[in-house]
Amino acid sequence: QLQLVESGGDLVQPGGSLRLSCVVSGFSLDYYAIGWFRQAPGKDREGVSCISSGGSTFYEDSGLGRFTVSRDNAKNTVYLQMNSLKPEDTAVYYCAAARRCSNAPIDSWGQGTQVTVSS
């Protein structure tokens, strides 16, 4: 069973940084891509970033230049480093597992972690 657990969400001031973690179990990061998504109140869930099973990384415009996705296969963990945070980054952030970063169905979602950017 594919399981993902996010952590690291917090209240942070504009311009601050956070690192989100996604610990996975029941599968290997060697065979699955992990995507980061977010959902702000009243808005649809949107993609943020993705790291493929081969280690390639992809970013949506919203996080390009500010967010960095990485992974530690030995710890079964994927990270999302978020810098220069803005109030519009406020959302619940989710990680999800799929066979590829694009054109592949999501096999499993985490429960989400709240990020609030406010002064």
Side-chain angles (χ1 to χ4, degrees):
Q1 184 177 2
L2 282 66
Q3 293 188 326
L4 303 92
V5 179
E6 304 95 333
S7 63
D10 206 347
L11 170 63
V12 63
Q13 292 188 344
S17 297
L18 278 177
R19 188 177 78 162
L20 305 184
S21 299
C22 174
V23 178
V24 309
S25 60
F27 65 99
S28 171
L29 292 174
D30 290 333
Y31 302 109
Y32 277 84
I34 300 296
W36 284 96
F37 298 80
R38 68 186 184 185
Q39 188 166 21
K43 295 188 177 181
D44 293 335
R45 189 173 300 188
E46 63 177 5
V48 174
S49 181
C50 186
I51 184 165
S52 73
S53 58
S56 298
T57 57
F58 305 91
Y59 300 93
E60 297 295 338
D61 289 345
S62 59
L64 199 60
R66 299 187 299 128
F67 295 176
T68 302
V69 61
S70 63
R71 70 184 187 189
D72 184 337
N73 284 26
K75 295 183 178 180
N76 294 322
T77 303
V78 175
Y79 304 99
L80 184 67
Q81 177 68 43
M82 304 188 294
N83 299 327
S84 303
L85 283 162
K86 307 173 183 179
E88 51 264 43
D89 294 318
T90 295
V92 178
Y93 283 71
Y94 301 87
C95 59
R99 288 292 187 172
R100 296 181 301 278
C101 282
S102 62
N103 299 319
I106 298 295
D107 289 312
S108 187
W109 291 91
Q111 85 289 348
T113 186
Q114 176 71 48
V115 172
T116 302
V117 185
S118 175
S119 55

